[in-house]
Coordinates of all heavy atoms in Angstrom, one line a residue:
M1 N 118.0 115.3 9.4 CA 119.3 114.6 9.5 C 120.0 114.9 8.1 O 119.4 114.7 7.1 CB 119.0 113.1 9.6 CG 120.3 112.3 9.5 SD 120.1 110.5 9.9 CE 118.6 110.1 8.9
E2 N 121.1 115.5 8.3 CA 121.9 115.8 7.1 C 122.9 114.8 6.8 O 123.3 114.7 5.6 CB 122.5 117.2 7.3 CG 121.5 118.3 7.5 CD 122.1 119.6 7.7 OE1 123.4 119.8 7.6 OE2 121.4 120.6 8.1
R3 N 123.5 114.1 7.8 CA 124.5 113.1 7.6 C 124.2 111.8 8.3 O 123.5 111.9 9.4 CB 125.9 113.7 8.0 CG 126.4 114.8 7.1 CD 127.8 115.1 7.5 NE 128.3 116.1 6.5 CZ 128.9 115.8 5.4 NH1 129.1 114.6 5.1 NH2 129.3 116.8 4.5
C4 N 124.7 110.8 7.8 CA 124.5 109.5 8.5 C 125.2 109.5 9.8 O 126.4 109.9 9.9 CB 125.1 108.3 7.6 SG 125.2 106.7 8.5
P5 N 124.6 109.2 10.9 CA 125.2 109.3 12.2 C 126.3 108.2 12.5 O 127.1 108.2 13.3 CB 124.1 109.1 13.3 CG 123.0 108.5 12.5 CD 123.2 108.8 11.1
N6 N 126.3 107.2 11.6 CA 127.3 106.1 11.7 C 128.6 106.4 10.9 O 129.7 106.2 11.4 CB 126.7 104.8 11.2 CG 127.6 103.6 11.4 OD1 128.1 103.4 12.5 ND2 127.7 102.8 10.4
C7 N 128.4 106.8 9.6 CA 129.6 107.0 8.8 C 129.8 108.4 8.2 O 130.7 108.7 7.5 CB 129.5 106.0 7.6 SG 128.3 106.5 6.3
R8 N 128.8 109.3 8.6 CA 128.9 110.7 8.2 C 128.6 110.9 6.7 O 128.9 112.0 6.2 CB 130.2 111.4 8.6 CG 130.5 111.2 10.1 CD 129.5 111.8 11.0 NE 129.4 113.3 10.8 CZ 128.4 114.0 11.1 NH1 127.3 113.5 11.6 NH2 128.3 115.3 10.9
A9 N 128.2 109.9 5.9 CA 127.8 110.2 4.5 C 126.7 111.1 4.5 O 125.8 111.2 5.3 CB 127.5 108.8 3.9
V10 N 126.6 111.9 3.4 CA 125.5 112.9 3.2 C 124.2 112.1 3.1 O 124.1 111.1 2.3 CB 125.8 113.8 2.0 CG1 124.5 114.7 1.7 CG2 127.0 114.6 2.2
H11 N 123.2 112.5 3.8 CA 121.9 111.8 3.7 C 121.1 112.4 2.5 O 121.0 113.6 2.4 CB 121.1 112.0 5.0 CG 119.7 111.5 5.0 ND1 118.6 112.3 5.3 CD2 119.3 110.3 4.7 CE1 117.6 111.5 5.2 NE2 117.9 110.3 4.8
E12 N 120.6 111.5 1.7 CA 119.9 111.9 0.5 C 118.5 111.4 0.4 O 118.1 110.8 -0.6 CB 120.7 111.3 -0.7 CG 122.1 111.9 -0.8 CD 122.9 111.3 -1.9 OE1 122.6 110.3 -2.5 OE2 124.0 112.0 -2.3
E13 N 117.7 111.7 1.5 CA 116.3 111.5 1.5 C 115.9 110.0 1.3 O 114.8 109.7 0.8 CB 115.6 112.3 0.4 CG 115.7 113.8 0.6 CD 115.2 114.4 1.9 OE1 114.2 113.9 2.4 OE2 115.9 115.3 2.4
S14 N 116.8 109.1 1.6 CA 116.4 107.7 1.6 C 116.3 107.2 3.0 O 116.7 107.8 4.0 CB 117.5 106.9 0.8 OG 118.7 106.9 1.5
E15 N 115.8 106.0 3.2 CA 115.6 105.4 4.5 C 116.8 104.5 4.9 O 116.8 103.8 5.9 CB 114.3 104.6 4.6 CG 113.1 105.5 4.4 CD 111.8 104.8 4.6 OE1 111.8 103.5 4.7 OE2 110.8 105.5 4.5
Q16 N 117.8 104.5 4.0 CA 119.0 103.7 4.3 C 120.2 104.5 3.8 O 120.2 105.1 2.7 CB 118.8 102.3 3.6 CG 119.9 101.4 3.9 CD 119.6 100.0 3.3 OE1 118.8 99.9 2.4 NE2 120.2 98.9 3.8
C17 N 121.3 104.3 4.6 CA 122.5 105.0 4.1 C 123.1 104.3 2.9 O 123.3 103.1 2.8 CB 123.6 104.9 5.3 SG 125.1 105.8 4.9
R18 N 123.5 105.2 1.9 CA 124.0 104.6 0.7 C 125.4 104.1 0.9 O 125.9 103.2 0.1 CB 124.0 105.7 -0.4 CG 124.9 106.9 0.0 CD 125.0 107.9 -1.1 NE 125.6 109.2 -0.7 CZ 127.0 109.3 -0.4 NH1 127.8 108.3 -0.6 NH2 127.5 110.4 0.1
R19 N 126.1 104.5 1.9 CA 127.5 104.0 2.1 C 127.5 102.8 3.1 O 128.1 101.8 2.7 CB 128.4 105.1 2.7 CG 129.8 104.8 2.9 CD 130.6 105.8 3.6 NE 130.8 107.0 2.8 CZ 131.2 108.2 3.3 NH1 131.5 108.3 4.6 NH2 131.3 109.2 2.5
C20 N 127.0 102.9 4.3 CA 127.1 101.9 5.2 C 125.9 101.0 5.4 O 125.9 100.0 6.1 CB 127.5 102.4 6.6 SG 126.2 103.3 7.5
G21 N 124.7 101.5 4.8 CA 123.5 100.6 4.9 C 122.7 100.8 6.1 O 121.7 100.1 6.4
M22 N 123.1 101.7 7.0 CA 122.3 102.0 8.2 C 120.9 102.3 7.9 O 120.6 103.1 7.0 CB 123.0 103.1 9.0 CG 122.3 103.4 10.4 SD 123.1 104.7 11.3 CE 122.1 104.8 12.7
D23 N 120.0 101.7 8.7 CA 118.5 101.9 8.6 C 118.2 103.2 9.3 O 118.3 103.3 10.5 CB 117.8 100.7 9.1 CG 116.2 101.0 9.0 OD1 115.8 101.9 8.3 OD2 115.5 100.2 9.6
F24 N 117.7 104.2 8.5 CA 117.4 105.5 9.2 C 115.9 105.6 9.6 O 115.5 106.6 10.2 CB 117.5 106.6 8.1 CG 119.0 106.9 7.7 CD1 119.2 107.2 6.4 CD2 120.0 106.7 8.6 CE1 120.6 107.4 6.0 CE2 121.3 106.9 8.2 CZ 121.6 107.3 6.8
T25 N 115.1 104.5 9.5 CA 113.7 104.6 9.7 C 113.4 105.1 11.2 O 112.6 106.0 11.3 CB 113.1 103.2 9.5 OG1 113.4 102.8 8.2 CG2 111.6 103.3 9.7
P26 N 114.1 104.5 12.2 CA 113.8 105.0 13.6 C 114.2 106.5 13.8 O 113.5 107.2 14.5 CB 114.6 104.1 14.5 CG 115.0 102.9 13.7 CD 115.0 103.4 12.2
L27 N 115.3 106.9 13.2 CA 115.7 108.2 13.3 C 114.8 109.2 12.6 O 114.4 110.3 13.2 CB 117.1 108.4 12.7 CG 118.2 107.6 13.5 CD1 119.5 107.7 12.7 CD2 118.4 108.1 14.9
L28 N 114.3 108.8 11.5 CA 113.4 109.7 10.7 C 112.1 109.8 11.4 O 111.4 110.8 11.4 CB 113.2 109.2 9.3 CG 114.5 109.3 8.4 CD1 114.2 108.6 7.1 CD2 114.9 110.7 8.2
A29 N 111.7 108.7 12.1 CA 110.4 108.7 12.8 C 110.6 109.6 14.1 O 109.6 110.4 14.4 CB 110.0 107.3 13.3
A30 N 111.7 109.6 14.7 CA 111.9 110.5 15.8 C 111.9 111.9 15.4 O 111.3 112.7 16.1 CB 113.2 110.1 16.5
E31 N 112.5 112.2 14.3 CA 112.5 113.6 13.7 C 111.1 114.1 13.4 O 110.7 115.2 13.7 CB 113.4 113.7 12.5 CG 114.9 113.8 12.8 CD 115.7 114.0 11.6 OE1 115.2 114.3 10.5 OE2 117.0 113.9 11.7
A32 N 110.3 113.2 12.8 CA 108.9 113.5 12.5 C 108.1 113.8 13.7 O 107.3 114.7 13.8 CB 108.3 112.4 11.6
A33 N 108.3 113.0 14.8 CA 107.6 113.2 16.0 C 108.0 114.5 16.6 O 107.2 115.2 17.2 CB 107.9 112.0 17.0
A34 N 109.3 114.8 16.6 CA 109.8 116.1 17.1 C 109.1 117.3 16.3 O 108.7 118.3 16.9 CB 111.3 116.2 17.0
D35 N 109.1 117.1 15.0 CA 108.4 118.2 14.2 C 107.0 118.4 14.6 O 106.5 119.5 14.7 CB 108.5 117.8 12.7 CG 109.9 118.0 12.1 OD1 110.7 118.6 12.8 OD2 110.1 117.4 11.0
T36 N 106.3 117.3 14.9 CA 104.9 117.4 15.3 C 104.8 118.1 16.7 O 103.9 119.0 16.9 CB 104.2 116.0 15.4 OG1 104.3 115.3 14.2 CG2 102.8 116.0 15.9
L37 N 105.7 117.8 17.6 CA 105.7 118.5 18.9 C 106.0 120.0 18.7 O 105.4 120.8 19.5 CB 106.7 117.8 19.8 CG 106.3 116.5 20.3 CD1 107.5 115.7 21.0 CD2 105.1 116.6 21.3
V38 N 106.8 120.3 17.8 CA 107.1 121.7 17.6 C 105.9 122.4 17.0 O 105.6 123.6 17.4 CB 108.3 121.9 16.6 CG1 108.5 123.3 16.1 CG2 109.6 121.4 17.2
R39 N 105.2 121.8 16.1 CA 103.9 122.4 15.6 C 102.9 122.6 16.8 O 102.3 123.6 16.8 CB 103.3 121.5 14.5 CG 104.0 121.7 13.2 CD 103.3 121.1 12.0 NE 103.1 119.7 12.1 CZ 104.0 118.8 11.6 NH1 105.1 119.3 11.1 NH2 103.8 117.6 11.8
Y40 N 102.8 121.6 17.7 CA 101.9 121.7 18.8 C 102.4 122.9 19.7 O 101.6 123.7 20.2 CB 101.9 120.5 19.7 CG 101.2 119.3 19.1 CD1 101.5 118.0 19.5 CD2 100.3 119.4 18.1 CE1 100.9 116.9 19.0 CE2 99.6 118.3 17.6 CZ 99.9 117.1 18.0 OH 99.3 116.0 17.5
A41 N 103.7 123.0 19.9 CA 104.2 124.2 20.6 C 103.9 125.5 20.1 O 103.5 126.4 20.7 CB 105.8 124.0 20.8
L42 N 104.0 125.6 18.7 CA 103.6 126.9 18.0 C 102.1 127.2 18.3 O 101.7 128.4 18.5 CB 104.0 126.8 16.6 CG 105.5 126.8 16.3 CD1 105.7 126.5 14.8 CD2 106.2 128.0 16.8
I43 N 101.3 126.1 18.2 CA 99.9 126.3 18.5 C 99.7 126.8 19.9 O 98.9 127.8 20.1 CB 99.1 125.1 18.1 CG1 99.1 124.7 16.6 CG2 97.7 125.2 18.7 CD1 98.6 123.4 16.3
H44 N 100.3 126.2 20.8 CA 100.2 126.6 22.2 C 100.7 128.0 22.4 O 100.0 128.8 23.2 CB 101.0 125.7 23.1 CG 100.5 124.3 23.2 ND1 99.1 124.0 23.5 CD2 101.1 123.1 23.1 CE1 98.9 122.7 23.5 NE2 100.1 122.1 23.3
L45 N 101.8 128.4 21.8 CA 102.3 129.7 21.9 C 101.3 130.8 21.4 O 101.0 131.8 21.9 CB 103.6 129.9 21.1 CG 104.8 129.4 21.9 CD1 106.1 129.5 20.9 CD2 105.1 130.2 23.1
G46 N 100.7 130.4 20.2 CA 99.7 131.3 19.6 C 98.4 131.5 20.5 O 97.8 132.5 20.5
A47 N 98.2 130.4 21.3 CA 97.0 130.5 22.2 C 97.4 131.1 23.5 O 96.5 131.2 24.4 CB 96.4 129.1 22.4
G48 N 98.7 131.4 23.7 CA 99.1 132.0 25.0 C 99.4 131.0 26.1 O 99.6 131.4 27.2
D49 N 99.5 129.7 25.7 CA 99.7 128.7 26.8 C 101.2 128.3 26.7 O 101.6 127.3 26.1 CB 98.9 127.4 26.5 CG 99.0 126.4 27.6 OD1 99.9 126.6 28.5 OD2 98.2 125.4 27.6
T50 N 102.0 129.2 27.3 CA 103.5 129.0 27.2 C 103.9 127.7 28.0 O 104.9 127.1 27.6 CB 104.2 130.2 27.7 OG1 103.8 130.6 29.0 CG2 104.1 131.4 26.8
T51 N 103.2 127.4 29.0 CA 103.6 126.2 29.8 C 103.5 124.9 28.9 O 104.4 124.1 28.9 CB 102.7 126.0 31.1 OG1 102.9 127.2 31.9 CG2 103.1 124.8 31.8
A52 N 102.4 124.8 28.2 CA 102.3 123.7 27.3 C 103.3 123.8 26.1 O 103.8 122.7 25.7 CB 100.8 123.6 26.7
A53 N 103.6 125.0 25.7 CA 104.5 125.1 24.6 C 105.9 124.7 25.1 O 106.6 123.9 24.4 CB 104.6 126.6 24.2
V54 N 106.3 125.1 26.2 CA 107.6 124.7 26.8 C 107.7 123.1 26.9 O 108.7 122.5 26.6 CB 107.9 125.4 28.1 CG1 109.1 124.8 28.9 CG2 108.2 126.9 27.9
R55 N 106.6 122.6 27.5 CA 106.6 121.1 27.6 C 106.8 120.4 26.3 O 107.6 119.5 26.2 CB 105.3 120.7 28.3 CG 105.1 119.3 28.7 CD 104.0 118.9 29.5 NE 102.7 119.6 29.0 CZ 102.0 120.4 29.8 NH1 102.4 120.6 31.0 NH2 101.0 121.0 29.3
S56 N 106.0 120.9 25.3 CA 106.2 120.2 24.0 C 107.6 120.4 23.4 O 108.1 119.5 22.8 CB 105.2 120.9 23.0 OG 103.8 120.5 23.3
L57 N 108.1 121.6 23.6 CA 109.5 121.8 23.0 C 110.5 121.0 23.8 O 111.5 120.4 23.1 CB 109.8 123.3 23.1 CG 109.0 124.2 22.2 CD1 109.2 125.7 22.6 CD2 109.4 124.0 20.7
R58 N 110.4 120.9 25.1 CA 111.3 120.0 25.8 C 111.2 118.5 25.3 O 112.3 117.8 25.2 CB 111.1 120.1 27.3 CG 111.6 121.4 27.8 CD 111.5 121.5 29.3 NE 112.0 122.8 29.8 CZ 111.7 123.4 30.8 NH1 110.7 122.9 31.6 NH2 112.2 124.6 31.2
R59 N 110.0 118.1 25.1 CA 109.9 116.7 24.6 C 110.4 116.5 23.2 O 111.0 115.6 22.9 CB 108.3 116.3 24.6 CG 107.8 116.1 26.0 CD 106.3 115.8 26.0 NE 106.1 114.5 25.2 CZ 105.0 114.2 24.7 NH1 103.9 114.9 24.8 NH2 104.9 113.0 24.1
A60 N 110.3 117.6 22.4 CA 110.8 117.6 21.1 C 112.4 117.4 21.1 O 113.0 116.7 20.3 CB 110.4 118.8 20.3
L61 N 113.0 118.2 22.0 CA 114.4 118.1 22.2 C 114.9 116.8 22.5 O 116.1 116.4 22.3 CB 114.9 119.2 23.2 CG 115.2 120.6 22.6 CD1 115.6 121.5 23.7 CD2 116.2 120.6 21.5
T62 N 114.1 116.0 23.3 CA 114.6 114.6 23.7 C 114.6 113.7 22.4 O 115.3 112.7 22.4 CB 113.6 114.0 24.7 OG1 112.4 113.8 24.2 CG2 113.6 114.9 26.0
L63 N 113.8 114.0 21.4 CA 113.8 113.2 20.2 C 114.7 113.7 19.1 O 115.2 112.9 18.3 CB 112.3 113.3 19.6 CG 111.3 112.7 20.5 CD1 109.9 113.0 20.0 CD2 111.4 111.2 20.6
H64 N 115.0 115.0 19.1 CA 115.8 115.5 18.0 C 116.4 116.8 18.4 O 115.6 117.8 18.7 CB 114.9 115.7 16.7 CG 115.6 116.3 15.6 ND1 116.7 115.7 14.9 CD2 115.4 117.4 15.0 CE1 117.1 116.5 14.0 NE2 116.4 117.5 13.9
H65 N 117.7 116.9 18.4 CA 118.3 118.2 18.7 C 118.3 119.1 17.4 O 118.9 118.7 16.4 CB 119.7 118.1 19.3 CG 120.2 119.4 19.8 ND1 121.0 120.2 19.0 CD2 120.0 120.0 20.9 CE1 121.3 121.3 19.7 NE2 120.7 121.2 20.9
D66 N 117.8 120.3 17.6 CA 117.7 121.2 16.5 C 117.9 122.7 17.1 O 117.1 123.0 18.0 CB 116.4 121.0 15.8 CG 116.3 121.9 14.5 OD1 116.8 123.0 14.5 OD2 115.6 121.5 13.6
P67 N 118.8 123.5 16.5 CA 118.9 124.8 17.1 C 117.6 125.6 17.0 O 117.4 126.5 17.8 CB 119.9 125.5 16.1 CG 120.7 124.3 15.6 CD 119.7 123.2 15.5
Y68 N 116.7 125.3 16.1 CA 115.5 126.0 15.9 C 114.6 125.7 17.2 O 113.9 126.6 17.7 CB 114.7 125.5 14.7 CG 113.3 126.0 14.5 CD1 113.1 127.3 14.3 CD2 112.3 125.1 14.5 CE1 111.7 127.8 14.1 CE2 111.0 125.5 14.3 CZ 110.7 126.9 14.1 OH 109.4 127.3 13.9
I69 N 114.6 124.5 17.7 CA 113.9 124.1 18.9 C 114.5 124.9 20.1 O 113.7 125.4 20.9 CB 113.9 122.6 19.1 CG1 113.2 121.9 17.9 CG2 113.1 122.2 20.4 CD1 113.3 120.3 18.0
D70 N 115.8 124.9 20.1 CA 116.5 125.7 21.2 C 116.0 127.1 21.2 O 115.6 127.7 22.3 CB 117.9 125.7 21.1 CG 118.6 124.3 21.4 OD1 118.0 123.6 22.3 OD2 119.6 124.0 20.9
L71 N 115.9 127.7 20.0 CA 115.5 129.1 19.9 C 114.0 129.3 20.4 O 113.7 130.2 21.1 CB 115.6 129.6 18.5 CG 115.3 131.0 18.2 CD1 116.2 132.0 18.9 CD2 115.4 131.3 16.7
L72 N 113.2 128.4 19.9 CA 111.8 128.5 20.3 C 111.6 128.3 21.8 O 110.8 128.9 22.5 CB 110.9 127.5 19.6 CG 110.6 127.8 18.1 CD1 109.9 126.6 17.4 CD2 109.8 129.0 18.0
L73 N 112.4 127.4 22.4 CA 112.3 127.1 23.8 C 112.7 128.3 24.6 O 112.1 128.7 25.6 CB 113.2 125.9 24.2 CG 113.1 125.4 25.6 CD1 111.6 125.0 25.9 CD2 114.0 124.1 25.8
R74 N 113.8 129.0 24.1 CA 114.2 130.2 24.8 C 113.1 131.3 24.7 O 112.9 132.0 25.7 CB 115.5 130.7 24.2 CG 116.2 131.8 25.1 CD 117.6 132.1 24.5 NE 117.4 133.1 23.4 CZ 118.1 133.1 22.3 NH1 119.1 132.3 22.2 NH2 117.9 134.0 21.4
F75 N 112.6 131.4 23.5 CA 111.5 132.4 23.4 C 110.3 132.1 24.3 O 109.8 133.0 25.0 CB 111.0 132.4 21.9 CG 109.8 133.2 21.6 CD1 109.9 134.6 21.5 CD2 108.6 132.6 21.4 CE1 108.8 135.4 21.2 CE2 107.5 133.4 21.2 CZ 107.6 134.8 21.0
A76 N 109.9 130.9 24.3 CA 108.8 130.5 25.2 C 109.1 130.6 26.6 O 108.3 131.1 27.4 CB 108.3 129.0 24.9
G77 N 110.3 130.3 27.0 CA 110.8 130.4 28.4 C 110.8 131.9 28.8 O 110.4 132.2 30.0
E78 N 111.2 132.7 27.9 CA 111.2 134.2 28.3 C 109.7 134.7 28.5 O 109.5 135.4 29.4 CB 111.8 135.0 27.2 CG 113.3 134.9 27.1 CD 113.9 135.6 25.9 OE1 113.2 136.3 25.2 OE2 115.2 135.4 25.7
R79 N 108.8 134.2 27.7 CA 107.4 134.6 27.8 C 106.9 134.0 29.2 O 106.1 134.7 29.8 CB 106.6 134.2 26.7 CG 107.0 134.9 25.4 CD 106.1 134.6 24.3 NE 104.7 135.0 24.7 CZ 103.8 135.4 23.8 NH1 104.0 135.4 22.6 NH2 102.6 135.7 24.3
Q80 N 107.2 132.8 29.4 CA 106.7 132.1 30.6 C 107.3 132.8 31.9 O 106.7 132.9 32.9 CB 107.1 130.6 30.6 CG 106.5 129.8 31.7 CD 106.9 128.4 31.6 OE1 108.0 128.1 31.2 NE2 106.0 127.5 31.8
G81 N 108.6 133.1 31.8 CA 109.3 133.6 33.0 C 108.9 134.9 33.6 O 108.7 135.0 34.8
D82 N 108.7 135.9 32.7 CA 108.3 137.2 33.3 C 107.1 137.8 32.8 O 106.8 139.0 33.1 CB 109.5 138.1 33.1 CG 109.8 138.3 31.7 OD1 109.1 137.9 30.8 OD2 110.9 138.8 31.4
G83 N 106.4 137.1 32.0 CA 105.1 137.6 31.4 C 105.3 138.6 30.3 O 104.3 139.1 29.8
T84 N 106.5 139.0 30.0 CA 106.6 139.9 28.8 C 106.8 139.1 27.5 O 107.0 137.9 27.5 CB 107.9 140.7 29.0 OG1 109.1 139.9 29.0 CG2 107.9 141.6 30.3
T85 N 106.7 139.8 26.4 CA 106.8 139.2 25.2 C 108.3 139.0 24.8 O 109.1 140.0 24.8 CB 106.1 140.1 24.1 OG1 104.8 140.3 24.5 CG2 106.2 139.4 22.7
G86 N 108.6 137.8 24.6 CA 110.0 137.5 24.1 C 110.2 137.9 22.7 O 109.2 138.2 22.0
T87 N 111.4 137.9 22.2 CA 111.6 138.2 20.8 C 112.6 137.2 20.2 O 113.4 136.7 20.9 CB 112.2 139.7 20.7 OG1 112.5 139.8 19.3 CG2 113.5 139.8 21.4
L88 N 112.3 136.9 19.0 CA 113.2 135.9 18.3 C 114.4 136.6 17.7 O 115.3 136.0 17.3 CB 112.4 135.2 17.2 CG 111.3 134.2 17.7 CD1 110.5 133.7 16.5 CD2 112.0 133.1 18.4
L89 N 114.4 137.9 17.7 CA 115.5 138.7 17.1 C 116.3 139.3 18.2 O 116.2 140.4 18.6 CB 114.9 139.8 16.3 CG 113.9 139.4 15.2 CD1 113.3 140.6 14.5 CD2 114.7 138.5 14.2
T90 N 117.2 138.4 18.8 CA 118.1 139.0 19.9 C 119.5 139.1 19.3 O 119.9 138.5 18.4 CB 118.1 138.0 21.1 OG1 118.5 136.7 20.7 CG2 116.7 138.0 21.8
Ligands
ZN101 ZN1 126.3 105.5 6.8

């Protein structure tokens, strides 16, 4: 999270917005859970289990939208779809 979703103030690694006082704890927990799911997805990809990787990445996207997750999901989807090796450099 780069900005407060309530007032758009720059987020400075605290659990509360310096401007509006919004509690970021649940949002930060969701981001941390999404990061864990992305790590699981990378492990699944490394093991060749693209189905599990896609499942983890889709769950991660429900918790936190991040272009990196979209990119990994596209990569895993390409590998899952036709059995060829996808590329991150498109
Ligand atoms: Zn705020």
Side-chain angles (χ1 to χ4, degrees):
M1 175 173 49
E2 295 177 10
R3 293 190 173 269
C4 172
N6 187 47
C7 73
R8 306 297 299 154
V10 175
H11 176 232
E12 297 175 342
E13 301 298 325
S14 66
E15 293 183 357
Q16 188 172 17
C17 179
R18 62 177 168 73
R19 185 186 293 165
C20 73
M22 182 177 179
D23 180 10
F24 295 142
T25 305
L27 297 173
L28 295 172
E31 284 186 8
D35 288 346
T36 298
L37 287 166
V38 169
R39 283 195 294 276
Y40 289 158
L42 292 173
I43 291 168
H44 291 310
L45 280 174
D49 188 350
T50 54
T51 300
V54 167
R55 185 174 40 242
S56 291
L57 291 167
R58 286 183 177 155
R59 289 180 61 203
L61 274 178
T62 66
L63 296 169
H64 176 63
H65 187 265
D66 184 327
Y68 175 66
I69 300 173
D70 287 332
L71 182 64
L72 286 173
L73 188 56
R74 195 174 78 216
F75 174 77
E78 287 175 5
R79 290 187 64 149
Q80 185 181 38
D82 60 13
T84 61
T85 302
T87 178
L88 290 172
L89 304 174
T90 57

